[in-house]
Amino acid sequence: MKHFDLMPEQMEKNKNSYNEIANEWNEYRRKTNVEKVVIEFASKIKSRGDILDIGCGTGFPIAKYLSDQGFFVTGIDISENQIQIANDGNINNAQFYVCDFFDFMPDKKYDGIIAFDSFFYFPREKQKEIYGKVSGWMKAGAYLLFTHGKTEGETEGEMFGKNFYYSSLEALDVKKLLLENNLHVELSMEDYKEENVDRDLIILAQKTRGE
């Protein structure tokens, strides 16, 4: 598993912020219900399949839920403190690594990839690189579930008193990039709301063919 040496300042900022709030974030996420779209995603993955969780955080609740469903989970995140918590969390059939998405070099292809609240942390200039990488890590027929912004731009926000960087592309451009990389959009929802969940864009896509 390749670790990062240098990363863009935006990602460095987010890494440092998540390291500082790791314990608070873990406490909050352990009380958070698994989203219905995550349950729907899991229902489409073959039994005991391999799933990659991009931006896995502390492993709760998503990686834990997927593990409990019998999947084998690989989680990556740039926050060392969150990965430490994930590795201490006794989540079965799961491995967690400190790794930059753009440095990740998996040794296998996945039946499912989930990126719930992670792609929009990546620098704007790297947004177009995401989908070719992800597609290359997926088996034919595999599913990708991710959240994103719906308009192009960059912004900053605050969580638990710490600042975070966000960026996104236009929703139509994201869908074009998916199509260009053999990812068929099965479900696209803008302004998605569910209990404590409020996201600009959620997409479920399937890998249509192999390399």
Side-chain angles (χ1 to χ4, degrees):
M1 188 66 58
K2 182 179 177 181
H3 287 44
F4 43 79
D5 297 315
L6 295 173
M7 66 172 65
E9 62 179 343
Q10 302 99 323
M11 293 179 70
E12 184 76 30
K13 175 179 185 173
N14 289 340
K15 175 175 79 78
N16 292 338
S17 291
Y18 265 121
N19 275 337
E20 291 187 47
I21 68 167
N23 290 328
E24 294 168 285
W25 183 246
N26 181 49
E27 183 178 347
Y28 168 72
R29 288 298 280 165
R30 281 175 180 260
K31 298 175 183 176
T32 304
N33 293 328
V34 176
E35 292 79 6
K36 293 176 184 177
V37 289
V38 175
I39 296 172
E40 174 69 15
F41 161 79
S43 73
K44 295 178 176 293
I45 309 301
K46 75 172 189 178
S47 176
R48 300 185 68 76
D50 291 303
I51 296 178
L52 175 65
D53 185 355
I54 298 169
C56 63
T58 65
F60 290 86
I62 291 177
K64 177 65 164 61
Y65 170 78
L66 295 173
S67 166
D68 288 346
Q69 302 310 303
F71 299 114
F72 296 91
V73 182
T74 300
I76 60 171
D77 201 287
I78 59 174
S79 167
E80 298 92 345
N81 292 353
Q82 291 204 95
I83 291 296
Q84 183 63 56
I85 293 171
N87 280 321
D88 290 342
N90 297 316
I91 299 176
N92 295 324
N93 304 321
Q95 296 178 311
F96 301 99
Y97 301 96
V98 179
C99 187
D100 182 338
F101 169 87
F102 295 98
D103 289 339
F104 185 55
M105 295 187 293
D107 57 6
K108 60 184 173 183
K109 291 183 183 286
Y110 296 94
D111 300 291
I113 295 180
I114 187 166
F116 213 87
D117 296 352
S118 55
F119 287 168
F120 55 45
Y121 286 125
F122 299 161
R124 184 179 181 182
E125 63 270 18
K126 286 184 169 285
Q127 285 289 334
K128 292 183 179 180
E129 299 177 28
I130 294 172
Y131 306 99
K133 287 182 175 292
V134 167
S135 179
W137 301 339
M138 298 169 68
K139 297 176 184 177
Y143 281 89
L144 166 68
L145 176 69
F146 65 98
T147 59
H148 208 276
K150 62 182 179 181
T151 57
E152 184 170 1
E154 298 172 290
T155 188
E156 291 193 0
E158 187 175 294
M159 187 164 53
F160 291 105
K162 300 300 176 182
N163 291 323
F164 288 86
Y165 164 89
Y166 306 92
S167 78
S168 67
L169 301 175
E170 291 282 349
L172 284 177
D173 291 332
V174 170
K175 292 173 185 177
K176 288 177 183 177
L177 287 165
L178 289 166
L179 183 62
E180 289 170 5
N181 288 286
N182 301 328
L183 293 165
H184 168 73
V185 176
E186 186 169 296
L187 179 67
S188 175
M189 296 178 288
E190 292 189 9
D191 302 317
Y192 180 84
K193 290 181 172 59
E194 176 191 328
E195 291 188 37
N196 296 324
V197 179
D198 185 354
R199 298 293 180 272
D200 285 348
L201 178 66
I202 292 182
I203 289 179
L204 177 69
Q206 185 178 31
K207 178 75 175 284
T208 54
R209 58 181 182 270
E211 296 297 321

